[in-house]
Amino acid sequence: ELKVEQNPLFLSMQEGKNYTIYCNYSTTSDRLYWYRQDPGKSLESLFVLLSNGAVKQEGRLMASLDTKARLSTLHITAAVHDLSATYFCAVAYYGGATNKLIFGTGTLLAVQP
Amino acid sequence: DVKVTQSSRYLVKRTGEKVFLECVQDMDHENMFWYRQDPGLGLRLIYFSYDVKMKEKGDIPEGYSVSREKKERFSLILESASTNQTSMYLCASSLRRVGYEQYFGPGTRLTVT
């Protein structure tokens, strides 16, 4: 079955710095999602990536997908405190009758002033 | 906007009680999902449904059952609550069956004492 690994699990960074969250998955898939979760709240969709080389950007966040390497990255540029949240990647898994999204364990991002 | 609502934000139940968690979506989505979220484990799929009266087991169905009598409503049932079922429960829905973006409800924080 598909396995999804995110790293790091926890990231403390200073405002203004850049960093990247990585999402690796174990078998072929054709779509990958990034979600954001604020403390005590539900998940909010950020990006959907559908093809090799896909890149999506929203504000200070940029997501990319390399299907050959089975790797997606979420790059944070010039972090601000408002970006503090937990970020999840989720990969579509096609297992016959059990098609579903497989979620990574999440990356808790804390942006310090 | 897609709206997914859950019947309670917080619940406290006693061991052995029967617990019902309800989820309603208003966008005529085919698919509905129940997850539990625990620190360090990410989201784990309990059950999902791709049509009225249809259900499929996810990764951790033990101790749970579900009901989908109407397209917009998906219920999670804990037949006899146990302390290890203390968790955050998230409901989600998606338009189509195969790997489509999932929209999440606000979550129910269940504590079993």
mmCIF file of all heavy atoms in Angstrom, chain B residues 32-47:
data_model
loop_
_atom_site.group_PDB
_atom_site.id
_atom_site.type_symbol
_atom_site.label_atom_id
_atom_site.label_comp_id
_atom_site.label_asym_id
_atom_site.label_seq_id
_atom_site.Cartn_x
_atom_site.Cartn_y
_atom_site.Cartn_z
ATOM 1 N N MET B 32 -18.116 10.397 1.215
ATOM 2 C CA MET B 32 -17.930 10.950 2.549
ATOM 3 C C MET B 32 -17.002 10.043 3.334
ATOM 4 O O MET B 32 -16.939 8.831 3.092
ATOM 5 C CB MET B 32 -19.280 11.129 3.258
ATOM 6 C CG MET B 32 -20.192 12.121 2.528
ATOM 7 S SD MET B 32 -21.705 12.528 3.408
ATOM 8 C CE MET B 32 -21.071 13.625 4.698
ATOM 9 N N PHE B 33 -16.272 10.653 4.264
ATOM 10 C CA PHE B 33 -15.184 9.965 4.954
ATOM 11 C C PHE B 33 -15.218 10.312 6.447
ATOM 12 O O PHE B 33 -15.566 11.433 6.809
ATOM 13 C CB PHE B 33 -13.826 10.420 4.405
ATOM 14 C CG PHE B 33 -13.690 10.324 2.913
ATOM 15 C CD1 PHE B 33 -14.193 11.331 2.091
ATOM 16 C CD2 PHE B 33 -13.067 9.241 2.325
ATOM 17 C CE1 PHE B 33 -14.078 11.257 0.705
ATOM 18 C CE2 PHE B 33 -12.938 9.158 0.953
ATOM 19 C CZ PHE B 33 -13.439 10.165 0.143
ATOM 20 N N TRP B 34 -14.778 9.375 7.243
ATOM 21 C CA TRP B 34 -14.494 9.641 8.652
ATOM 22 C C TRP B 34 -13.035 9.291 8.945
ATOM 23 O O TRP B 34 -12.572 8.193 8.616
ATOM 24 C CB TRP B 34 -15.385 8.809 9.577
ATOM 25 C CG TRP B 34 -16.719 9.421 9.827
ATOM 26 C CD1 TRP B 34 -17.927 9.027 9.330
ATOM 27 C CD2 TRP B 34 -16.994 10.547 10.671
ATOM 28 N NE1 TRP B 34 -18.927 9.830 9.787
ATOM 29 C CE2 TRP B 34 -18.392 10.781 10.619
ATOM 30 C CE3 TRP B 34 -16.208 11.391 11.459
ATOM 31 C CZ2 TRP B 34 -18.999 11.809 11.336
ATOM 32 C CZ3 TRP B 34 -16.812 12.408 12.157
ATOM 33 C CH2 TRP B 34 -18.197 12.606 12.102
ATOM 34 N N TYR B 35 -12.351 10.255 9.582
ATOM 35 C CA TYR B 35 -10.966 10.083 10.006
ATOM 36 C C TYR B 35 -10.876 10.320 11.507
ATOM 37 O O TYR B 35 -11.680 11.042 12.089
ATOM 38 C CB TYR B 35 -10.049 11.123 9.355
ATOM 39 C CG TYR B 35 -9.896 11.041 7.864
ATOM 40 C CD1 TYR B 35 -10.763 11.716 7.009
ATOM 41 C CD2 TYR B 35 -8.853 10.311 7.302
ATOM 42 C CE1 TYR B 35 -10.591 11.667 5.631
ATOM 43 C CE2 TYR B 35 -8.679 10.258 5.935
ATOM 44 C CZ TYR B 35 -9.547 10.943 5.110
ATOM 45 O OH TYR B 35 -9.369 10.890 3.754
ATOM 46 N N ARG B 36 -9.849 9.764 12.091
ATOM 47 C CA ARG B 36 -9.451 10.225 13.406
ATOM 48 C C ARG B 36 -8.030 10.757 13.313
ATOM 49 O O ARG B 36 -7.209 10.272 12.505
ATOM 50 C CB ARG B 36 -9.579 9.153 14.486
ATOM 51 C CG ARG B 36 -8.715 7.946 14.377
ATOM 52 C CD ARG B 36 -8.901 7.008 15.574
ATOM 53 N NE ARG B 36 -8.218 7.467 16.774
ATOM 54 C CZ ARG B 36 -8.289 6.865 17.964
ATOM 55 N NH1 ARG B 36 -9.024 5.775 18.127
ATOM 56 N NH2 ARG B 36 -7.639 7.341 19.011
ATOM 57 N N GLN B 37 -7.795 11.780 14.132
ATOM 58 C CA GLN B 37 -6.497 12.438 14.106
ATOM 59 C C GLN B 37 -5.888 12.387 15.495
ATOM 60 O O GLN B 37 -6.495 12.856 16.472
ATOM 61 C CB GLN B 37 -6.637 13.903 13.661
ATOM 62 C CG GLN B 37 -5.306 14.614 13.556
ATOM 63 C CD GLN B 37 -5.444 16.043 13.094
ATOM 64 O OE1 GLN B 37 -6.522 16.627 13.135
ATOM 65 N NE2 GLN B 37 -4.341 16.624 12.644
ATOM 66 N N ASP B 38 -4.700 11.833 15.576
ATOM 67 C CA ASP B 38 -3.985 11.721 16.840
ATOM 68 C C ASP B 38 -2.582 12.269 16.667
ATOM 69 O O ASP B 38 -1.984 12.115 15.585
ATOM 70 C CB ASP B 38 -3.928 10.255 17.292
ATOM 71 C CG ASP B 38 -5.306 9.662 17.489
ATOM 72 O OD1 ASP B 38 -5.953 10.048 18.475
ATOM 73 O OD2 ASP B 38 -5.740 8.835 16.658
ATOM 74 N N PRO B 39 -2.049 12.893 17.702
ATOM 75 C CA PRO B 39 -0.702 13.489 17.600
ATOM 76 C C PRO B 39 0.331 12.467 17.135
ATOM 77 O O PRO B 39 0.409 11.358 17.658
ATOM 78 C CB PRO B 39 -0.427 13.954 19.031
ATOM 79 C CG PRO B 39 -1.772 14.172 19.636
ATOM 80 C CD PRO B 39 -2.656 13.113 19.026
ATOM 81 N N GLY B 40 1.117 12.857 16.143
ATOM 82 C CA GLY B 40 2.185 11.999 15.652
ATOM 83 C C GLY B 40 1.744 10.914 14.686
ATOM 84 O O GLY B 40 2.581 10.235 14.091
ATOM 85 N N LEU B 41 0.422 10.747 14.521
ATOM 86 C CA LEU B 41 -0.092 9.694 13.642
ATOM 87 C C LEU B 41 -0.807 10.249 12.419
ATOM 88 O O LEU B 41 -1.222 9.491 11.547
ATOM 89 C CB LEU B 41 -1.049 8.778 14.409
ATOM 90 C CG LEU B 41 -0.433 8.002 15.577
ATOM 91 C CD1 LEU B 41 -1.504 7.190 16.300
ATOM 92 C CD2 LEU B 41 0.693 7.083 15.081
ATOM 93 N N GLY B 42 -0.970 11.537 12.360
ATOM 94 C CA GLY B 42 -1.649 12.128 11.210
ATOM 95 C C GLY B 42 -3.120 11.765 11.181
ATOM 96 O O GLY B 42 -3.743 11.527 12.221
ATOM 97 N N LEU B 43 -3.684 11.712 9.996
ATOM 98 C CA LEU B 43 -5.079 11.333 9.810
ATOM 99 C C LEU B 43 -5.152 9.874 9.404
ATOM 100 O O LEU B 43 -4.455 9.448 8.476
ATOM 101 C CB LEU B 43 -5.732 12.185 8.711
ATOM 102 C CG LEU B 43 -6.276 13.534 9.113
ATOM 103 C CD1 LEU B 43 -5.156 14.512 9.390
ATOM 104 C CD2 LEU B 43 -7.200 14.071 8.034
ATOM 105 N N ARG B 44 -6.008 9.147 10.063
ATOM 106 C CA ARG B 44 -6.209 7.743 9.712
ATOM 107 C C ARG B 44 -7.669 7.528 9.349
ATOM 108 O O ARG B 44 -8.571 7.939 10.078
ATOM 109 C CB ARG B 44 -5.794 6.837 10.877
ATOM 110 C CG ARG B 44 -4.288 6.876 11.167
ATOM 111 C CD ARG B 44 -3.917 5.956 12.310
ATOM 112 N NE ARG B 44 -4.434 6.440 13.580
ATOM 113 C CZ ARG B 44 -4.487 5.717 14.694
ATOM 114 N NH1 ARG B 44 -4.066 4.455 14.683
ATOM 115 N NH2 ARG B 44 -4.955 6.230 15.811
ATOM 116 N N LEU B 45 -7.860 6.843 8.235
ATOM 117 C CA LEU B 45 -9.201 6.655 7.697
ATOM 118 C C LEU B 45 -9.919 5.531 8.427
ATOM 119 O O LEU B 45 -9.411 4.404 8.505
ATOM 120 C CB LEU B 45 -9.105 6.345 6.207
ATOM 121 C CG LEU B 45 -10.398 6.165 5.449
ATOM 122 C CD1 LEU B 45 -11.219 7.450 5.452
ATOM 123 C CD2 LEU B 45 -10.103 5.740 4.018
ATOM 124 N N ILE B 46 -11.117 5.837 8.929
ATOM 125 C CA ILE B 46 -11.899 4.837 9.664
ATOM 126 C C ILE B 46 -12.845 4.113 8.705
ATOM 127 O O ILE B 46 -12.811 2.885 8.586
ATOM 128 C CB ILE B 46 -12.699 5.504 10.801
ATOM 129 C CG1 ILE B 46 -11.777 6.307 11.730
ATOM 130 C CG2 ILE B 46 -13.463 4.452 11.596
ATOM 131 C CD1 ILE B 46 -12.525 7.156 12.744
ATOM 132 N N TYR B 47 -13.710 4.868 8.060
ATOM 133 C CA TYR B 47 -14.664 4.343 7.100
ATOM 134 C C TYR B 47 -14.898 5.396 6.034
ATOM 135 O O TYR B 47 -14.706 6.584 6.270
ATOM 136 C CB TYR B 47 -16.021 4.047 7.769
ATOM 137 C CG TYR B 47 -16.221 2.654 8.277
ATOM 138 C CD1 TYR B 47 -15.997 2.363 9.624
ATOM 139 C CD2 TYR B 47 -16.670 1.644 7.439
ATOM 140 C CE1 TYR B 47 -16.200 1.072 10.106
ATOM 141 C CE2 TYR B 47 -16.879 0.348 7.922
ATOM 142 C CZ TYR B 47 -16.631 0.076 9.256
ATOM 143 O OH TYR B 47 -16.842 -1.192 9.735
#
